[in-house]
């Protein structure tokens, strides 16, 4: 027992010493001396002597130190890098920038990463970059605990990160802006794009494929996901989008599929918000759209399909508002929570449910002109859309009746007299009054001189007074 304790003590001492040496080496960057950044490309250490032509091929990879930004920047110009270990590796705890010019390719043929860094990494430029890791992750970092360790991809027309385990794996946050990014992973129980903190995608196109068993598409393990002004297409086996806290989709188009049974397609650990003209299609086994603390859909189009459950589900309050177009096999919230539907000002929202689109009927008093609170809808087909009254015919006393919802709409048509009756002329006599020929509407009680109802008259105008006796004729009759 004493021997075991002593061996453990010796082992612990050795480990602590190794860690201390490692930390000291990481922090030992001397500003202005690029060699102390502990930066290597394809196994070649970057020094002051080699920084302008690191690979010895005329300068496809160059390095520079920006003292103001305290950042080392690699410029790749039509670079083609293949290496059996980490292709680009920086061990100093300073930011790394990669500037892209032309078409660039990086491959890690062994079980290592294409790019590994410690502080922040920014990839930008007008060029393209394709990363292929046959046995590990395409981009990975190892946070030192001394500050942020994020990844920013900005203004890149095409960046592809193909990894066996993960395409992009970041201890920190990820920001993709004004770029087109493709990420893939093939090994089970991994993610195409994974970050421990927030993931922000803006004004970009992101394509993620996770084909292995139990693989995630885009996952934030301890933060939020925000997608704005972007196109995102994800095909995964488990969750296509998964966030620890809130997940917001704003003015974006998403096509998402999670193919493995018993999984959601979109899961927000906080509130799931789809808003401002977004268009989201999500398909999975369990609820395609799930918000743990709430779910909001505003002014957006949504198609949610769950093969083994209802399409949209939240454990919090559910809010649908504005100009929405939603189709789902069920919409529901947990007991004790509310489901509100709020039309845009001056508009109507209809809510229909049934076994299919063909037999779906309006629920309650649908369509709605004002906010209403509804119960959960468990039907196989459910839709919430703007409603436009149509059909039916307005008359002189009644508005039209919508052929779809049965509600009246618009105003009466003062010219449409469906109960118009013609009254023939009746000459007056000396004993009884007569009448002119006229038309009378039994609905509105109005009188008209013509069948087209262009000239309305009063009832008195239709009457002919009694004709008086002819005195001359009467005298002649008496003479006889």
């Amino acid at each position: 027992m004493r021997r075991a304790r002593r061996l453990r003590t010796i082992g612990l001492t050795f480990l602590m010493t190794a860690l201390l040496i490692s930390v000291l080496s990481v922090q030992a960057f001397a500003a202005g001396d690029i060699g102390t950044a502990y930066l290597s490309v394809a196994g070649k250490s970057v020094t002051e002597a080699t920084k302008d032509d690191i690979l010895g091929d005329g300068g496809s990879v160059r390095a520079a130190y920006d003292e103001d930004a305290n950042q080392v920047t690699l410029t790749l110009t039509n670079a083609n890098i293949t290496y059996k270990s980490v292709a680009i590796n920086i061990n100093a705890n300073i930011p790394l920038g990669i500037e892209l010019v032309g078409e660039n390719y990086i491959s890690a043929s062994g079980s290592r990463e294409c790019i590994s860094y410690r502080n922040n990494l920014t990839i930008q430029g007008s060029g393209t970059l394709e990363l292929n890791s046959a046995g590990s992750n395409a981009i990975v970092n190892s946070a030192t605990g001394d500050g942020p360790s994020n990844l920013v991809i900005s203004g890149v027309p095409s960046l592809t990160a193909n990894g066996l385990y993960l395409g992009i794996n970041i201890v920190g946050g990820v920001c993709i802006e004004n770029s087109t990014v493709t990420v893939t992973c093939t090994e089970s129980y991994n993610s195409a794009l994974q970050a421990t903190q927030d993931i922000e995608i803006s004004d970009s196109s992101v394509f993620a494929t996770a084909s292995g068993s139990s693989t995630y598409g885009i996952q934030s393990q301890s933060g939020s996901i925000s997608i704005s002004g972007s196109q995102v297409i994800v095909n995964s086996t488990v969750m296509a989008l998964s966030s620890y806290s809130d997940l917001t989709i704003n003015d974006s188009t998403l096509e998402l599929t999670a193919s493995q049974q018993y999984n959601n397609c979109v899961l927000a650990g906080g509130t799931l918000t789809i808003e401002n003209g977004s268009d989201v299609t999500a398909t999975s086994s369990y609820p395609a759209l799930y918000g743990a603390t709430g779910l909001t859909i505003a002014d957006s189009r949504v198609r949610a399909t769950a093969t083994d459950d209802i399409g949209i589900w939240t454990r919090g309050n559910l809010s649908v508002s504005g100009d929405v177009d939603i189709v789902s096999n069920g919409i529901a919230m947990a007991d004790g929570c509310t489901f509100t539907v709020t039309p845009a000002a001056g508009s109507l929202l209809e809510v229909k449910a049934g076994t299919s689109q063909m037999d779906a009927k309006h629920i309650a008093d649908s369509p709605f002109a004002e906010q209403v609170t509804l119960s959960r809808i468990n039907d196989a087909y459910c839709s919430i859309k703007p409603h436009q009254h149509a059909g039916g015919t307005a008359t002189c006393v009644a508005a039209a009746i919508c052929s779809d919802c049965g509600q009246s709409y618009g105003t009466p048509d003062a010219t449409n007299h469906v109960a118009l009756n013609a009254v023939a002329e009746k000459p007056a006599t000396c004993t009884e009054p007569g009448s002119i020929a006229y038309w009378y509407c039994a609905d509105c009680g109005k009188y008209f001189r013509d069948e087209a109802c262009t000239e309305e008259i009063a009832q008195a105008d239709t009457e002919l007074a009694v004709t008086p006796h002819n005195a001359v004729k009467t005298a002649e009759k008496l003479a006889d």
Side-chain angles (χ1 to χ4, degrees), residues 139-316:
I139 302 176
V140 69
N141 71 340
S142 54
T144 63
D146 295 329
S149 189
N150 303 318
L151 169 65
V152 175
I153 301 171
S154 179
V156 177
S158 176
L159 186 150
T160 300
N162 300 316
L164 173 66
Y165 298 129
L166 297 99
I168 297 175
N169 181 22
I170 304 302
V171 180
V174 173
C175 175
I176 300 172
E177 56 187 16
N178 299 301
S179 299
T180 297
V181 176
T182 301
V183 287
T184 68
C185 75
T186 57
E187 187 69 12
S188 300
Y189 304 102
N190 286 287
S191 303
L193 191 165
Q194 176 178 288
T196 60
Q197 299 299 320
D198 296 344
I199 297 175
E200 298 179 6
I201 300 171
S202 62
D203 303 313
S204 297
S205 294
V206 175
F207 308 95
T209 302
S211 56
S213 175
S214 301
T215 50
Y216 292 80
I218 300 175
Q219 180 186 29
S220 172
Q221 294 178 313
S222 302
S224 64
I225 294 178
S226 173
I227 300 172
S228 178
S230 297
Q231 175 191 25
V232 177
I233 299 177
V234 181
N235 291 289
S236 60
T237 52
V238 296
M239 299 164 201
L241 290 179
S242 174
S243 67
Y244 179 81
S245 57
D246 294 343
L247 198 160
T248 301
I249 301 166
N250 176 59
D251 186 27
S252 296
T253 299
L254 278 66
E255 297 178 25
L256 312 168
T257 302
S259 61
Q260 194 166 303
Q261 197 172 18
Y262 311 129
N263 284 281
N264 305 107
C265 187
V266 178
L267 184 149
T271 297
L272 172 58
T273 301
I274 301 171
E275 62 185 2
N276 194 25
S278 292
D279 188 337
V280 177
T281 300
T283 303
S284 56
S285 170
Y286 278 178
L289 301 179
Y290 171 71
T293 62
L295 198 154
T296 296
I297 302 173
D299 300 309
S300 296
R301 180 182 184 274
V302 169
R303 297 292 183 269
T305 303
T307 57
D308 299 307
D309 209 322
I310 61 175
I312 299 175
W313 164 254
T314 176
R315 292 189 180 279

Side-chain angles (χ1 to χ4, degrees), residues 287 309-315 318 329-340 351 353 363 373-379 382:
D309 209 322
I310 61 175
I312 299 175
W313 164 254
T314 176
R315 292 189 180 279
L318 176 60
N329 59 312
I331 301 178
M333 66 294 180
D335 293 341
C337 298
T338 61
F339 175 15
T340 58
V351 182
I363 69 168
T373 300
L374 302 178
S375 301
R376 56 186 296 162
I377 302 173
N378 294 322
D379 297 74
C382 171

Side-chain angles (χ1 to χ4, degrees), residues 371-392:
Q371 184 183 90
V372 294
T373 300
L374 302 178
S375 301
R376 56 186 296 162
I377 302 173
N378 294 322
D379 297 74
Y381 176 88
C382 171
S383 68
I384 304 177
K385 300 179 179 181
H387 180 83
Q388 294 291 334
H389 289 309

Side-chain angles (χ1 to χ4, degrees), residues 450-465:
D450 59 331
E451 185 178 9
C453 303
T454 59
E455 183 180 352
E456 183 182 352
I457 57 178
Q459 181 181 6
D461 296 331
T462 69
E463 299 174 351
L464 295 175

